[in-house]
């Protein structure tokens, strides 16, 4: 942003797209960083409903917007709107940052890289992963150096998942409502599932992570409060996320 907080013809514009993007401080934090570094760049929060996503990205190709950061609830939905994507996007089925190149959109992932670096900075090594969604895939591809155990309610689906992410000797475990699950032997748990409750988990590690924003219901947050674990979500990592987004956007040559 320039000193006058004004948009000029030279200003690089990016969107922050989410269902409740305006309620997040992501854009404000990132714009503050642009201004501190005298970058003539601005990110604009865009509240977009799910049924308007395709229309939004179709219009972006001919707009003055140079790209967009995608809030966690839409990272899987935007993949079909891309013209090109990194190998990590193609293999995981998620995308959280988009660049406009001419009249085409190219997608990449930055938030999972932030998560892996945060875990390393916290000296977390042994991790339980619940669920097999796109976040679980992306994390697995970037998880070199971690000791991972996977939990899911369907072991056949879990076995197919481990083949998809090329894990030949994965530690796989069933988790279901009628079970008693103790995760206290791990350094952290990452919830990438669509479970509505985690009441089957009797004990949690010290740290509990997911990528939900504050507008999304988190069963892990509820269980962490009940069991006394430290819960860390998307909004708790905004400082790291905005710094990573800043470096990705500023190195992108329009």
């Amino acid at each position: 942003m320039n000193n006058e907080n004004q948009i000029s013809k030279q200003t690089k514009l990016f969107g922050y797209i989410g269902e409740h993007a305006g309620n997040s401080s992501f854009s404000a934090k990132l714009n503050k960083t642009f201004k501190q570094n005298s970058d003539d760049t601005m990110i604009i929060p865009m509240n977009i409903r799910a049924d308007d996503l395709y229309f939004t990205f179709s219009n972006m190709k001919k707009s003055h917007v140079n790209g967009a950061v995608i809030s966690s609830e839409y990272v899987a939905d935007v993949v079909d709107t891309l013209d090109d994507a990194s190998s990590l996007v193609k293999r995981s089925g998620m995308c959280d940052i988009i660049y406009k190149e001419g009249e085409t959109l190219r997608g990449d992932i930055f938030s999972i890289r932030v998560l892996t670096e945060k875990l390393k900075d916290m000296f977390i090594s042994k991790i339980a992963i619940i669920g097999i969604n796109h976040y679980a895939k992306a994390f697995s591809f970037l998880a070199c150096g971690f000791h991972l155990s996977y939990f899911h309610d369907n072991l056949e689906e879990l076995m197919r998942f481990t083949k998809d992410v090329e894990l030949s000797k994965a530690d796989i475990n069933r988790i279901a409502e009628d079970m008693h699950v103790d995760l206290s032997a791990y350094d952290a748990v990452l919830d990438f599932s669509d479970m509505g409750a985690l009441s089957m988990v009797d004990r949690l590690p010290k740290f509990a992570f997911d990528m939900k924003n504050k507008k999304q219901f988190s069963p892990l947050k509820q269980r962490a409060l009940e069991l006394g674990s430290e819960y860390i979500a998307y909004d708790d990592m905004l400082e790291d996320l905005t710094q990573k987004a800043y470096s990705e956007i500023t190195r992108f040559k329009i």
Side-chain angles (χ1 to χ4, degrees), residues 39 51 59 108 125 180 242:
D39 295 302
D51 54 3
N59 283 349
D108 208 343
S125 174
H180 294 277
T242 53

Side-chain angles (χ1 to χ4, degrees), residues 2-253:
N2 54 43
N3 290 331
E4 292 76 29
N5 297 333
Q6 294 177 343
I7 299 174
S8 69
K9 291 183 179 180
Q10 288 74 41
T11 304
K12 295 179 182 179
L13 293 178
F14 279 75
Y16 177 57
I17 294 177
E19 187 175 8
H20 306 284
N23 291 332
S24 172
S25 58
F26 183 96
S27 298
K29 286 180 177 292
L30 188 48
N31 282 329
K32 182 178 179 181
T33 304
F34 288 137
K35 188 171 183 178
Q36 288 172 340
N37 290 277
S38 300
D39 295 302
D40 194 5
T41 305
M42 183 180 291
I43 187 162
I44 302 169
M46 301 169 64
N47 293 338
I48 305 296
R49 298 180 305 179
D51 54 3
D52 288 331
L53 275 179
Y54 184 81
F55 176 79
T56 299
F57 288 106
S58 295
N59 283 349
M60 186 181 293
K61 295 180 181 183
K62 295 183 180 295
S63 73
H64 295 295
V65 177
N66 299 118
V69 175
I70 312 302
S71 185
S72 56
E73 69 269 25
Y74 287 153
V75 294
D77 299 318
V78 302
V79 174
D80 290 339
T81 70
L82 301 174
D83 300 291
D84 192 16
S86 68
S87 60
L88 187 58
V89 169
K90 293 175 182 177
R91 298 181 75 186
S92 67
M94 67 167 281
C95 166
D96 57 23
I97 191 164
I98 292 175
Y99 307 97
K100 190 179 76 171
E101 298 175 336
E103 292 188 2
T104 65
L105 301 179
R106 176 176 61 85
D108 208 343
I109 296 172
F110 78 99
S111 63
I112 294 299
R113 301 182 195 279
V114 171
L115 176 59
T116 59
E117 288 304 312
K118 186 170 186 64
L119 291 167
K120 290 175 183 178
D121 289 344
M122 295 172 68
F123 301 101
I124 288 170
S125 174
K126 192 175 181 182
I127 301 171
I129 297 178
I130 303 175
I132 57 172
N133 72 357
H134 42 274
Y135 273 116
K137 280 189 174 182
F139 183 84
S140 297
F141 287 128
L142 296 174
C144 181
F146 296 116
H147 302 285
L148 306 180
S149 297
Y150 292 87
F151 294 79
H152 188 54
D153 58 356
N154 186 311
L155 287 181
E156 289 185 4
E157 291 179 355
L158 185 51
M159 291 176 68
R160 285 196 294 270
F161 169 88
T162 57
K163 288 182 179 179
D164 288 343
V165 297
E166 301 174 358
L167 297 172
S168 58
K169 296 181 180 179
D171 179 15
I172 62 174
N173 306 270
R174 184 170 176 266
I175 186 170
E177 290 183 5
D178 59 348
M179 300 177 67
H180 294 277
V181 179
D182 183 352
L183 301 179
S184 60
Y186 297 92
D187 300 323
V189 58
L190 309 182
D191 182 22
F192 297 140
S193 74
D194 58 1
M195 289 184 171
L198 292 172
S199 56
M200 76 291 291
V201 178
D202 294 324
R203 299 178 69 190
L204 283 169
K206 182 178 180 180
F207 300 105
F209 291 79
D210 64 25
M211 296 300 286
K212 301 286 180 64
N213 62 52
K214 61 185 177 183
K215 287 291 185 178
Q216 294 173 285
F217 171 70
S218 171
L220 181 63
K221 178 180 181 179
Q222 179 176 318
R223 199 65 180 133
L225 289 172
E226 293 167 349
L227 296 177
S229 290
E230 182 176 343
Y231 171 71
I232 301 168
Y234 187 91
D235 290 284
D236 299 309
M237 294 187 284
L238 278 184
E239 198 66 43
D240 295 324
L241 288 163
T242 53
Q243 287 299 318
K244 182 64 172 177
Y246 171 81
S247 65
E248 293 296 308
I249 288 172
T250 52
R251 74 182 178 87
F252 173 62
K253 303 301 182 183

